[in-house]
Amino acid sequence: LKYGMPLLSVTKLRYLISVFNAFAARVGKTSLIMSLVSEEFPEEVPPRAEEITIPADVTPERVPTHIVDYSGKDYTIPLFRWIPLINERTDKDSRLPLILVGNKSDLVEYSSMETILPIMNQYTEIETCVECSAKNLKNISELFYYAQKAVLHPTGPLYCPEEKEMKPACIKALTRIFRISDQDNDGTLNDAELNFFQRICFNTPLAPQALEDVKNVVRKNLSDGVADNGLTLKGFLFLHTLFIQRGRHETTWTVLRRFGYDDDLELTPEYLFPPLKIPPDCTTELNHHAYLFLQSIFDKHDLDRDCALSPDELKDLFKVFPYMPWGPDVNNTVCTNERGWITYQGFLSQWTLTTYLDVQRCLEYLGYLGYSILAEQESQASAITVTRDKKIDLQKKQTQRNVFRCNVVGMKGCGKSGVLQALLGRNLIRQRQIRAEHKSYYAINTVYVYGQEKYLLLHDVSDSEFLTDAETICDAVCLVYDVSNPKSFEYCARIFKQHFMDSRIPCLVVAAKSDLHEVRQEYSISPAEFCKKHKMPPPQAFTCNTVDVPSKDIFVKLTTMQDFNSCPSVCFRSHARLRCMCACNRCTFCICQNFLNSDLLQSVKNKLFTAVLNRLRPYIDELGAMLLADEESSIMQQVHAVNSVEDSIFMESSLGPRLLEDRHVTQADLKSSTFWLRASFGATVFAVLGFAMYKALLKQR
C-alpha cells in the first residue's frame, strides 16, 4: 500500500491489555500514539514513543490498556511476510489477535479495503481492519477500542471463518446455557424465559415487539428455529452465529462470561469454586433456598410426574455436566422406588450427603446446574450453611444442625450393610439384589425427631483392628455385633475401649440378626452387662429379615441420643422446610394443595362450621339453663338426670352450701364459657379433618 500500514499485535495479561504497535517504519506508528495521548497531531515526532498505560476508567471496557511503540528501524519485509513470522513464534491454539491499521488516509482519496480483504480471508488471526489518520485524528480512539475488543471479545475461540460456522467448543457452551435457561425443559425458550435470560445477561428485559422481531429473523432464516412460539436450540445457536458474523461477538462473549466461561470456553475456577470459609469442628449443609432450587431441578426433569427420576431422566438432568457425577452406587445410598429409580427424597438426600462430605464438589455441581444464575445469587456459596462448632451446641444444649453422622462399627459379616440398607427401607430380600460392585459404604435418609425432620447419615467404617482419626469423627457410634457369632461382640468391645470410652460421643450397641438363634458371646461379660457397666443403653435387637420394611426404632434412637439431646430442655432449631416442597402446580400434591387453599373450599368450610353450630345451639342453651338455675334442688334434679356424672354430683353436694355459693356461675361467665366451648369444639372437628386430609396427601407424595 502506498501509505503504509502498521500492524497491531494485541495480548491480554489477566486484567491488562497490551498493544504492540509494530514493525514497519515511517508509516505513522508513533504519530498514532502521540495523537491518541495529546488529542492533536504532533509537529515533532520522536523516534520512539514512551510506553504508556491508559487507565481503566477512561476506556469503554473498564480495562487498563498498555501501549508499546517498537523501534522505528527501516524494515523492508512486506506485510504478508510479517504475519507468518508472528505465527511461527506462537502456538496455534494461542495465537495473538492482529489488527491491520491503514494510516495516513488523509493523503489518498480512495479506500484500500478491497485490497485488504483477501489478506484478512487468508489469515484468520486478523480481527479487523481500520483506516485512520493521525493528522486529522480520524478513527484514532476507534482504533484502540478495536484493540481492546480483539482481546476481550476475540473471534477465534468462537467462529471458524473457513467453514463459516461456530466452533464445537462454542456450540457446547451455548448448548449448556440453553439447557439451563430452558426452565420448563420443553426444548424451547418461551417469552418469559427469553426475558429472564436477557435480564440476567444484559440487565434489561426485551420489549414484546423486540421479542417478536428476534423470532421473525430466526423464522426467516431457519425453518425449525422457532417452535410453539418459542426459540429452539437451533434458533438460539443461529442467533449467536449471526451476531458473530455481523461483528457483534461481544454479545456472545457477554453471555458466555455471565455463565462462567473464560477465554478458552472453560468454566473458570472462580465460578465453580467460590470461596467458602469453614472453621474447624463445623459442618456444611444446604439451606432452604438450595433445597427449593434442587426441588425445581427435580420437577423440571421428572417428566412423567412419578416423583422419581428414571435413568433417562437422570441422564437428561446431567447433560449440563461435563461428566456423569453419580455412579450406580448412589442407588444404594439413598431411597429408590420399586424399580430402583431415585425418588424425590433420595435426590435431596444425595445432595445433602455431598454437601456434608465434600462441600467443594457440591459447589462445583451447583455451578454446572447454574445455581447462581437461576437463583440470582452472587455464587453457589450462598446455598451453603456452615453450622456452628459442636462444642457450642453441647454448651447451649440446642442445635441448629439438620444432618447427623453415625459411624457403624463391627467386624466383617456382622450385618453392618443390613443396618445401612434398613435405613433406606430395604429388607433382606431387596438387599440380596444389590451387586457387589455397586455396594455403598454410606446411607442417608430422613428421620423424624420430636416432630422435626432430620437427616441421619450412616457410614460403614473399616473392620480393621484400629480406626483412623477420620473414622472416629462423628455424632454417634453404632456398635453392631452378630448374635449368632460368639466372637462378634469382642471386636465391638475392643473398639469401644480404644476409641470411644473416654470420649463424649454417644454409643449404641445393636444386636444384629436377632431373628437367628442367639449364642453366648465369648467375652468376659455379656453385652447387656457391658452396656450397663459403661452407662450405655441396653443392646437393641435388630433384624432386616422381615416381610415389610425393617423397623426404624434404632435410627430414631441414634439421632436423639446426642449429648445435647439427653437434656429435657433440648431445643431443635431447624429450617422451616416441609416434607414436600413441591410447587410445580402439575402433580397430584400441588393440585390438592391448591384445592385446599381455594376460595371454594374456604366457603364450604365456613358454611359447615355454621351448620354444626346451629345444630348444637339447642343443646348448648339447655346446658346453660341447667347451670343458671337459682335453686340448689333444681340443679340437683337436672344433674341427676345425667347418669354419667351421678357420683361426682353427690360428691359436690356433700361439700356444703358455702362451697356451692363460691362455685356459682354468673351470666357473664356463662356467655364466655359457651363461646369458648363452641370455638374449641369447632376447632377440634376441623383439626381432625385437616390432619386426615394432610396425611392422605403426604402419603401420595
Side-chain angles (χ1 to χ4, degrees), residues 59-60 65 146 154 172 196 216 220 243 249 290 304 312 324 338 380 404 408 444 476 502 513 567 608 613 688 693:
T59 59
T65 305
Y146 285 124
K172 181 179 178 182
F196 180 81
N216 289 334
K220 188 182 298 183
F243 291 147
H249 36 277
D304 53 6
D312 290 337
M324 185 67 179
E338 296 78 8
Q380 298 87 267
F404 299 99
V408 182
I444 183 170
D502 297 327
K513 304 180 183 180
C567 178
L608 180 62
L613 288 181
V688 173
M693 296 184 70

Side-chain angles (χ1 to χ4, degrees), residues 339-473:
R339 306 176 69 176
W341 297 353
I342 296 176
T343 61
Y344 170 78
Q345 185 60 51
F347 182 77
L348 296 184
S349 297
Q350 178 61 26
W351 279 96
T352 304
L353 174 67
T354 305
T355 307
Y356 187 92
L357 298 180
D358 191 351
V359 68
Q360 291 298 318
R361 180 167 295 185
C362 178
L363 292 174
E364 178 187 1
Y365 290 173
L366 289 174
Y368 292 140
L369 291 174
Y371 173 82
S372 61
I373 289 97
L374 296 179
E376 300 186 61
Q377 299 291 332
E378 184 177 353
S379 69
Q380 298 87 267
S382 62
I384 307 299
T385 296
V386 179
T387 64
R388 67 187 180 189
D389 194 332
K390 186 179 178 182
K391 299 184 185 68
I392 301 177
D393 288 344
L394 295 174
Q395 293 171 0
K396 296 190 174 183
K397 296 182 179 180
Q398 66 181 18
T399 182
Q400 297 173 338
R401 297 163 60 201
N402 293 301
V403 184
F404 299 99
R405 175 171 180 168
C406 174
N407 286 351
V408 182
V409 180
M411 67 183 302
K412 187 176 182 180
C414 68
K416 293 183 294 182
S417 299
V419 173
L420 264 68
Q421 294 301 312
L423 177 64
L424 308 179
R426 296 169 184 161
N427 56 20
L428 188 61
I429 297 176
R430 291 190 62 184
Q431 293 178 26
R432 287 172 177 170
Q433 300 173 2
I434 300 174
R435 299 169 61 178
E437 59 269 24
H438 297 164
K439 179 182 176 181
S440 175
Y441 291 93
Y442 291 94
I444 183 170
N445 199 1
T446 53
V447 178
Y448 278 92
V449 180
Y450 304 133
Q452 296 183 4
E453 188 181 62
K454 302 291 180 180
Y455 281 98
L456 177 62
L457 166 61
L458 298 183
H459 177 208
D460 182 358
V461 301
S462 62
D463 53 0
S464 59
E465 293 298 320
F466 298 95
L467 301 183
T468 64
D469 292 339
E471 291 173 335
T472 60
I473 298 175

